[in-house]
Amino acid sequence: MSTAGAGRATPRSAGSVAAYRSLLAIDPEVPVVTLGEGGTPLLHAKRLSARVGAEVWLKVEGANPTGSFKDRGMALAVSKARARGAGVLLCASTGNTSASAAAYAAAAGLRSAVVIPEGHVARGKLAQAVVHGARVVQVRANFDAALAVVRALGERAAVTVVNSVNPDRLEGQKTAAFEVVDELGDAPDLLCIPVGNAGNITAYWRGFRQYREAGRASLVPRLLGVQAVGAAPLVGGGPVPSPETVATAIRIGDPASAGPARDAVGASGGRFVAVTDSAILAAQRELASTEGVFCEPASAASVAGLLAYPPAAGSRVVCVLTGHGLKDPDAVAGEGPLPVVAADLGAVAEAMGVELD
Ligand code: AN7
């Protein structure tokens, strides 16, 4: 799979838009803004595979430049926005979109502003928005209210909204599905993916469909869309006014892409499921300690969903790990105090539990 402009014939650092340009809606003359997004690892999860009796792969989207999958869509959206003469990029965010928008705005020489729910954005993500020079506005409300304000601002002010209500975002995010198929040689049987605003699951579905229609894949996967129990509008059947979950990235009660996501999951023969916060944190810990992959809580929801709803024996499964664990170090505190001893051979050996001979 390496015809020019489709598949990774281009160098990795040229980014996902250049790699798949001929398959994406972007005019040939538009210069690409890139930080080298895409080309992320697809790792065979040996212990998880053995545990569920399937062939499980991890799509490690935390390896993107700002540490989440948002960079794929941001690269395309910011490229097109700059070409159209945009000045200020604006988004509402639970954290990762704001980090990505701020970084790509900086790379493009544009300004950015982000509206976030006060007190519910993980520390690493907030640091990214600040260091990349975004104007950060916190609102005393949740993400859904922040997005409503941003959409209204998009109508009334000279700003370009780069939330996934901007179709260029989902267009760029299709590249993750392309990569999965290019690497596995076909689409998997099942895709497990966390769902917040429901853009990414929609984008994967479009990508898989496009590849099957182009004859690059023989099937499309069933979609397992995973939400947190306290923020599960697509499982419960309606908006959740006060969503709550430790996975702050997906603390969303009224997903903007609910309609297309429902259509995608239905057409795939899949389903939406909800997992508890404790199952999310347990899955995060298990991935980190048995596979060596540290993802943020929202991302671990995909694996928690897989464990709660095991696939058919022997099926091929991809779990999308949407963001890096370092985004949210506070989510893994709560270990109790770690031992502190004198820098002394005997004391350290004893604290480690090893015998000296
Ligand atoms: C790590 O950054 O909505 O279902 O404002 O950061 O496409 O919304 C983040 C979402 C999953 C859910 N995993 O994806 C934002 C934001 C991580 C995320 C999701 C998000 P969508």
Side-chain angles (χ1 to χ4, degrees), residues 222-234:
R222 282 190 305 114
L223 302 177
L224 187 73
V226 188
Q227 302 207 286
V229 162
L234 294 168

Side-chain angles (χ1 to χ4, degrees), residues 69-70 93-97 195-200 249-250 252 296 322:
F69 71 97
K70 303 285 182 182
S93 183
T94 58
N96 280 324
T97 299
V195 175
N197 218 18
N200 207 28
I250 53 172
I252 295 175
E296 65 172 288
T322 44

Side-chain angles (χ1 to χ4, degrees), residues 40-345:
T40 57
L42 184 69
L43 302 179
H44 182 228
K46 296 184 188 57
R47 289 160 201 89
L48 193 54
S49 294
R51 181 160 166 202
V52 299
E55 180 190 320
V56 182
W57 299 81
L58 307 173
K59 184 62 171 161
V60 186
E61 290 290 277
N64 277 297
T66 78
S68 89
F69 71 97
K70 303 285 182 182
D71 295 342
R72 297 174 179 277
M74 208 56 74
L76 188 69
V78 174
S79 298
K80 291 177 76 169
R82 186 176 68 172
R84 286 192 294 257
V88 180
L89 307 180
L90 174 68
C91 67
S93 183
T94 58
N96 280 324
T97 299
S98 59
S100 187
Y104 281 79
L110 303 176
R111 286 185 292 145
S112 63
V114 307
V115 183
I116 58 172
E118 183 201 7
H120 290 93
V121 168
R123 243 178 339 130
K125 303 174 190 181
L126 199 50
Q128 290 178 289
V130 169
V131 81
H132 289 303
R135 177 165 292 227
V136 179
V137 179
Q138 304 188 80
V139 290
R140 282 180 227 99
N142 61 33
F143 167 83
D144 303 290
L147 180 58
V149 172
V150 160
R151 292 176 87 153
L153 266 168
E155 313 258 297
R156 299 276 300 274
V159 295
T160 299
V161 175
V162 292
N163 280 105
S164 57
V165 294
N166 176 335
D168 299 330
R169 281 275 317 281
L170 299 194
E171 184 68 12
Q173 284 173 211
K174 292 190 309 191
T175 58
F178 298 161
E179 288 177 12
V180 165
V181 176
D182 285 343
E183 198 138 343
L184 292 178
D186 206 338
D189 301 305
L190 178 68
L191 185 84
C192 302
I193 181 167
V195 175
N197 218 18
N200 207 28
I201 192 170
T202 303
Y204 267 89
W205 180 245
R206 289 179 186 165
F208 285 124
R209 287 273 309 272
Q210 185 173 340
Y211 251 35
R212 192 186 55 180
E213 279 156 24
R216 289 167 174 257
S218 72
L219 71 155
V220 289
R222 282 190 305 114
L223 302 177
L224 187 73
V226 188
Q227 302 207 286
V229 162
L234 294 168
V235 180
V240 174
S242 301
E244 272 312 336
T245 171
V246 68
T248 52
I250 53 172
R251 185 176 173 272
I252 295 175
D254 191 9
S257 295
R262 282 190 199 282
D263 291 347
V265 166
S268 80
R271 62 192 292 205
F272 291 104
V273 299
V275 292
T276 63
D277 279 4
S278 60
I280 286 172
L281 293 175
Q284 181 193 34
R285 182 61 59 103
E286 178 172 334
L287 279 171
S289 62
T290 70
E291 305 285 357
V293 178
F294 182 26
C295 66
E296 65 172 288
S299 310
S302 64
V303 171
L306 175 70
L307 292 171
Y309 300 89
S315 53
R316 188 186 259 186
V317 182
V318 170
C319 292
V320 183
L321 303 183
T322 44
H324 203 289
L326 290 172
K327 292 266 190 180
D328 190 1
D330 300 318
V332 286
E335 303 279 297
L338 300 170
V340 183
V341 300
D344 165 283
L345 180 61

